[in-house]
Amino acid sequence: MQIIQEPIHYQNPQLCMKVWKFTHTGDEHEGPVHWHYHKEVEFVLVVEGVHEMHTPTHSYRLIQGDVVVIGSSQLHRGLTPVGQDVAYIVLHIDLEPYFDPAMMHYTRHFMEVLNPLEDLNYIFRKFPHVQREVGAILYHIHEEVMQKKKGYEIAVSMHIKHLLLTLLRNDDQGLLLAHEYVDADVLRPVTAYIEAHLADKIDMSEVSRMAGMSYTYFSKYFKSKVGISFTDFVNRKRIAKAERMLAIGNKNVTDIAEAVGIENMAHFYELFKRFCGCTPREYKRKMRGV
């Protein structure tokens, strides 16, 4: 099994997104579709035909008008049934630049700290009118980017805010909850540093200095703003990276644990079971069988 970190080339770097319409016919000679992931959140709208999306935990059979969202750096793959013609719009977007002061109140849950954005797919299944609304938003974003009329950047930004607001207002399970204001200038460099140094020892003393705070104050600040402790956040990120590496199938568990900065194997197994609900071996077997 091959897994690919897919590079996303933005059509307009200022918008931090790419939107494209794909049309093709399912072919039995295409071979297996590779698992892949990318930093950007992905929205898919099926315009015509049948398309399937798979993640390690869910499978979606999408028909005309159906929408699905895939979280940041989440393993996934798309399949089109053999002989089926399909057309679908795909939006890849880095949401972070869209969190202006009015949005920062809702940053934590869109950051997927506690819940992957994939969990929001229940909204589309439960509320057909919301799925239609989000589908229309994705269609308008695609049209704006393709036509590039004067001010299309403003229009796209407005549509993205509309998309996020629609998800917020229709999340009756409370996955996207308001919380304390988060200072983006503090949190973004910290999370970026963590992502870049998962293989290393991450010292909270160093990170607190980066944030311009004392060790004790930063510890309390991080937990109050993010919802979990700094250590728990780092461990969640380490295990998420380990999941992607396990799916490759060419590294043993010990090497993967070391690659994500966890030298104690008992601790690695305990964290993996806590966050994934299964052992690394069971996870690898499940990925090969999906």
Side-chain angles (χ1 to χ4, degrees):
M1 179 189 302
Q2 186 177 359
I3 182 171
I4 300 170
Q5 182 173 7
E6 179 184 1
I8 303 299
H9 304 290
Y10 300 147
Q11 290 143 314
N12 182 331
Q14 292 178 323
L15 294 174
C16 298
M17 53 158 285
K18 178 180 179 180
V19 62
W20 205 258
K21 184 177 181 179
F22 295 88
T23 58
H24 66 268
T25 302
D27 186 350
E28 63 181 339
H29 301 296
E30 287 180 340
V33 179
H34 299 309
W35 291 96
H36 62 282
Y37 68 97
H38 36 72
K39 174 188 176 184
E40 293 76 11
V41 174
E42 179 173 329
F43 289 87
V44 178
L45 164 66
V46 174
V47 178
E48 180 182 345
V50 178
H51 189 59
E52 297 177 4
M53 293 293 294
H54 298 275
T55 68
T57 56
H58 293 85
S59 294
Y60 306 91
R61 185 179 186 276
L62 308 173
I63 61 174
Q64 183 177 349
D66 283 349
V67 173
V68 71
V69 58
I70 304 296
S72 173
S73 297
Q74 184 174 12
L75 289 170
H76 62 285
R77 61 180 180 178
L79 300 170
T80 300
V82 174
Q84 292 277 349
D85 296 325
V86 67
Y88 54 94
I89 292 173
V90 178
L91 169 67
H92 294 114
I93 181 165
D94 180 358
L95 292 177
E96 188 174 283
Y98 292 87
F99 287 102
D100 58 18
M103 283 290 300
M104 289 308 294
H105 195 56
Y106 301 93
T107 299
R108 184 178 77 193
H109 295 281
F110 279 113
M111 285 175 57
E112 305 182 85
V113 175
L114 301 179
N115 304 100
L117 285 184
E118 182 189 14
D119 287 356
L120 295 178
N121 284 313
Y122 85 88
I123 297 175
F124 306 134
R125 309 298 166 249
K126 186 174 182 178
F127 303 115
H129 70 281
V130 177
Q131 180 163 250
R132 290 192 295 270
E133 185 174 353
V134 170
I137 294 170
L138 296 174
Y139 176 82
H140 289 314
I141 291 173
H142 177 261
E143 292 301 295
E144 289 287 351
V145 172
M146 292 300 104
Q147 295 175 12
K148 289 184 170 59
K149 294 180 181 179
K150 184 177 181 180
Y152 83 94
E153 301 93 338
I154 299 174
V156 168
S157 296
M158 291 174 61
H159 285 309
I160 295 300
K161 292 293 183 68
H162 184 191
L163 173 57
L164 298 179
L165 179 61
T166 301
L167 294 174
L168 279 168
R169 287 189 169 173
N170 291 281
D171 172 30
D172 67 355
Q173 291 187 9
L175 300 182
L176 299 174
L177 296 175
H179 62 100
E180 296 183 55
Y181 181 85
V182 175
D183 187 341
D185 292 335
V186 173
L187 199 57
R188 285 175 184 168
V190 167
T191 56
Y193 177 85
I194 292 170
E195 290 282 2
H197 293 84
L198 290 177
D200 309 319
K201 180 181 179 181
I202 298 177
D203 188 343
M204 196 169 78
S205 297
E206 182 176 349
V207 178
S208 61
R209 286 194 295 271
M210 181 190 308
M213 302 176 187
S214 69
Y215 181 98
T216 302
Y217 184 82
F218 175 77
S219 177
K220 293 179 180 178
Y221 174 89
F222 190 92
K223 187 169 184 177
S224 69
K225 302 303 183 183
V226 178
I228 57 177
S229 70
F230 179 81
T231 299
D232 200 15
F233 181 85
V234 172
N235 284 335
R236 286 171 183 264
K237 291 294 184 181
R238 291 193 197 278
I239 297 303
K241 182 177 179 180
E243 287 182 70
R244 296 192 292 271
M245 296 183 70
L246 277 166
I248 298 173
N250 60 357
K251 286 182 178 286
N252 62 47
V253 176
T254 302
D255 290 340
I256 290 173
E258 292 178 356
V260 299
I262 305 175
E263 297 180 356
N264 185 308
M265 289 304 298
H267 186 49
F268 176 76
Y269 275 95
E270 188 272 328
L271 289 174
F272 198 95
K273 187 73 177 291
R274 184 199 308 174
F275 296 134
C276 301
C278 62
T279 67
R281 185 184 299 274
E282 289 168 342
Y283 181 84
K284 181 181 290 189
R285 187 183 308 120
K286 179 178 68 173
M287 289 298 293
R288 290 179 174 178
V290 171

